[in-house]
Amino acid sequence: MSVFTIKCLRTATHSAPKPVFLFMEGFGELVHVNCYFWLIQGAGHNILVDTGMGGTHQRSYGDEYGEEFHRLDQNSHVGFPVAEGEDTVSLLAANGLQPLDIDTVILTHLHYDHIANIPLFAGAKIYVNRRGWDFAVERGVPIFDTFPHALLRYMDKEMKEQLTLVPDEAEIVPGIRVIHVGGHTRCSQAVLIQMEDGIAAITGDVAFLYENLEREHPIGFGFSAEDSVYAIRRLKREADILLPGHDAAILDRYPDGWVRGKRA
């Protein structure tokens, strides 16, 4: 069985009322979090979980996409500011990589802060949960239609040969698998990764915070609090190391970003 390393890369910051993160709790309180993507390396692979944000490339995709991508990027900066050096290209460069060095991108779900820079990865295989993709592109329930459709359209038209829609459980490469978790979105999937220290789970946004995991308390921003709890319980059974979607405390536990040790 192959083993992998994981590096957490902070790409933006964000603040929101506490009930967004913890269902029906903390009204009147504000919580400050980070946005991340993850570099997974091993067995000859350079894999990203999610894509990071920011950069200056958005207008380079021509008349059909460029202005829409630029508008999405500019609008996102209001709530999700990207600091200098924390855009995707800069963070990859700091780790000796360029976008074309990435061979695989696994998307935990299809919200903008997780897929903003998917067009950069023209040489990568891309993995998305099938039923969640169908739900997002069909736009059947407007209140849950919080997806950046310009990017989905680009993926469908310009990256179709790269895109794989996976079932609810799938092996991506030996030692890395995805499981559907739902809760936050229908397309939400967690990524389980074999490390030397055990199995790590990148939860995606089914758990925003360590507190969601520790208390089995569902997130507030999602379509099923019940699904969130069942998913959290499963991840706690199956993984030794739990990595929630947005907790700033991740970088307290792993200050250099390298994930190590059985810190479930």
Side-chain angles (χ1 to χ4, degrees):
M1 175 72 72
S2 300
V3 296
F4 295 86
T5 61
I6 302 175
K7 189 169 189 183
C8 175
L9 303 171
R10 183 178 65 188
T11 189
T13 56
H14 180 59
S15 299
K18 191 172 183 179
V20 169
F21 304 104
L22 290 165
F23 181 72
M24 295 296 290
E25 187 167 298
F27 290 93
E29 298 179 48
L30 201 63
V31 175
H32 306 287
V33 299
N34 294 329
C35 298
Y36 301 110
F37 65 115
W38 309 81
L39 174 62
I40 318 300
Q41 293 179 296
H45 291 285
N46 293 312
I47 298 170
L48 291 186
V49 175
D50 297 331
T51 72
M53 303 173 71
T56 59
H57 58 278
Q58 287 79 15
R59 279 199 168 114
S60 68
Y61 293 94
D63 293 340
E64 185 174 358
Y65 303 105
E67 283 304 316
E68 286 188 87
F69 289 175
H70 176 69
R71 185 163 54 253
L72 283 168
D73 174 70
Q74 293 302 299
N75 289 342
S76 77
H77 284 302
V78 176
F80 299 85
V82 177
E84 185 176 354
E86 293 192 344
D87 63 280
T88 300
V89 172
S90 295
L91 288 169
L92 289 179
N95 287 276
L97 297 169
Q98 300 177 13
L100 287 178
D101 294 321
I102 302 302
D103 58 81
T104 302
V105 178
I106 305 168
L107 298 176
T108 60
H109 61 293
L110 296 170
H111 283 159
Y112 184 76
D113 56 316
H114 295 261
I115 72 166
N117 279 334
I118 193 66
L120 290 172
F121 301 104
K125 296 178 181 178
I126 302 165
Y127 294 90
V128 179
N129 176 263
R130 175 180 294 278
R131 64 165 148 157
W133 172 269
D134 292 342
F135 178 82
V137 299
E138 287 168 4
R139 309 180 76 161
V141 185
I143 196 169
F144 293 130
D145 184 13
T146 51
F147 305 105
H149 286 278
L151 284 167
L152 301 188
R153 190 172 73 251
Y154 185 88
M155 292 167 67
D156 190 43
K157 291 179 65 176
E158 310 298 334
M159 307 180 90
K160 202 173 191 71
E161 296 303 313
Q162 301 168 239
L163 180 63
T164 298
L165 303 180
V166 297
D168 286 353
E169 304 206 19
E171 182 181 72
I172 305 302
V173 299
I176 299 180
R177 61 192 175 98
V178 294
I179 61 172
H180 181 261
V181 290
H184 180 54
T185 69
R186 287 189 188 273
C187 49
S188 291
Q189 58 185 0
V191 186
L192 278 70
I193 302 152
Q194 183 66 55
M195 303 179 67
E196 287 187 358
D197 297 318
I199 294 173
I202 296 173
T203 71
D205 286 359
V206 75
F208 291 130
L209 308 174
Y210 281 110
E211 191 169 354
N212 297 121
L213 297 163
E214 291 159 358
R215 295 173 53 202
E216 298 181 1
H217 190 113
I219 61 174
F221 175 38
F223 77 92
S224 174
E226 182 180 9
D227 285 355
S228 293
V229 172
Y230 285 125
I232 286 167
R233 289 175 177 172
R234 179 178 180 183
L235 292 171
K236 290 173 76 171
R237 289 194 305 269
E238 297 195 17
D240 305 297
I241 303 163
L242 297 170
L243 303 167
H246 286 275
D247 204 321
I250 289 173
L251 293 180
D252 295 330
R253 298 189 184 203
Y254 311 110
D256 59 1
W258 290 106
V259 175
R260 58 181 69 83
K262 297 196 175 191
R263 294 293 301 270

